[in-house]
Amino acid sequence: MWHSAQMAGLRAKQKADRHTRILEAATELFREHGYDAVKMETIAANAEVSIGTIYNYYQNKGDLLVAIVAMEVNEVLASGEKVIARRPKDAGEAIVKLMANYVEHSLVYLNKEMWRHAMAISTQQPESPFGQTFSTLDIALARQTCKLVEALQADGAIRKGVDARALAELVFNNTNMMFIIFIKSEEMTVKDLMDRIRKQTLPVLRALTPAARA
């Protein structure tokens, strides 16, 4: 029994290692050569796996791209939990800090060209596994934003009567729209994006703090 468990653990580790190598190879190639130019065979060669192994996990490059997006977003969500746990007392500062966490981590694995392809595929194929996964990740980020707003409301940093979910969706959806503008422009920097988000978000939050009632 112990031997069987050990073998199962080894197989799981080998499978995880293959996944990691495939995603790392795909990420590097997409960033260096562009999504359209990269062949699945090249990814397999760089990951040191057979082309059959890749197709066991991913049907096409779109599946690989959404796996990279998921890896990015899951790391962003984990980092966002730390922001919530150590949130600033000021509501505007706290929410802008969470949005900055989303934005600044968004280009760790993907570049703007990869994001454009990911968003295009999710828009063109909303009912596909890619489109559904993309939407699920977006919903997870919106829910985390709501979690922060609710925590700030419990702290007394946001008025009790404010609809936390509606406010969170307003802030997150605006950040999402600004992020789309950001990835469409090669010239726009992360600083430019955060300056705009800060300028649009802070007045809303200041109007909803308890002090605003006086």
Side-chain angles (χ1 to χ4, degrees):
M1 184 179 294
W2 178 84
H3 181 70
S4 297
Q6 187 182 45
M7 289 301 294
L10 179 61
R11 284 194 296 270
K13 182 180 185 303
Q14 289 172 338
K15 184 176 180 180
D17 288 344
R18 284 196 295 270
H19 270 292
T20 299
R21 292 206 309 274
I22 292 167
L23 291 180
E24 286 177 350
T27 300
E28 184 178 346
L29 289 165
F30 289 161
R31 290 180 72 99
E32 185 174 349
H33 301 289
Y35 176 81
D36 286 331
V38 176
K39 306 290 186 186
M40 291 288 273
E41 291 79 5
T42 308
I43 297 170
N46 280 36
E48 299 181 341
V49 299
S50 70
I51 187 66
T53 297
I54 284 195
Y55 283 118
N56 282 340
Y57 302 134
Y58 308 102
Q59 293 184 10
N60 49 49
K61 287 194 298 183
D63 287 351
L64 272 168
L65 187 56
V66 77
I68 297 168
V69 171
M71 183 168 62
E72 182 101 70
V73 172
N74 286 329
E75 289 189 13
V76 168
L77 286 166
S79 182
E81 288 302 310
K82 295 177 183 177
V83 172
I84 294 173
R86 297 191 287 271
R87 59 190 174 275
K89 293 181 179 180
D90 179 78
E93 185 183 344
I95 290 177
V96 167
K97 185 174 181 179
L98 185 64
M99 295 304 103
N101 177 70
Y102 293 166
V103 168
E104 290 165 4
H105 283 73
S106 66
L107 300 180
V108 172
Y109 298 115
L110 292 90
N111 57 19
K112 289 186 177 185
E113 189 249 5
M114 291 165 70
W115 274 113
R116 288 194 290 268
H117 277 287
M119 289 186 175
I121 295 170
S122 69
T123 302
Q124 293 163 2
Q125 304 169 27
E127 301 305 319
S128 69
F130 186 117
Q132 290 176 354
T133 299
F134 199 93
S135 296
T136 298
L137 294 169
D138 238 14
I139 290 168
L141 291 168
R143 284 177 176 167
Q144 188 175 69
T145 305
C146 186
K147 182 178 178 180
L148 174 59
V149 171
E150 288 172 344
L152 289 166
Q153 205 166 34
D155 293 342
I158 294 175
R159 280 188 266 169
K160 295 294 183 185
V162 172
D163 185 327
R165 180 175 176 180
L167 175 58
E169 289 177 350
L170 175 68
V171 171
F172 178 75
N173 289 341
N174 181 66
T175 298
N176 224 2
M177 180 56 66
M178 293 307 302
F179 184 72
I180 292 171
I181 293 171
F182 168 70
I183 65 164
K184 287 166 65 177
S185 168
E186 288 298 339
E187 294 75 28
M188 191 173 180
T189 66
V190 169
K191 182 182 182 304
D192 293 335
L193 173 57
M194 281 312 306
D195 284 347
R196 292 192 190 185
I197 290 172
R198 190 175 289 107
K199 191 175 293 185
Q200 294 164 357
T201 304
L202 290 180
V204 176
L205 270 298
R206 289 189 185 119
L208 297 175
T209 59
R213 291 178 298 181

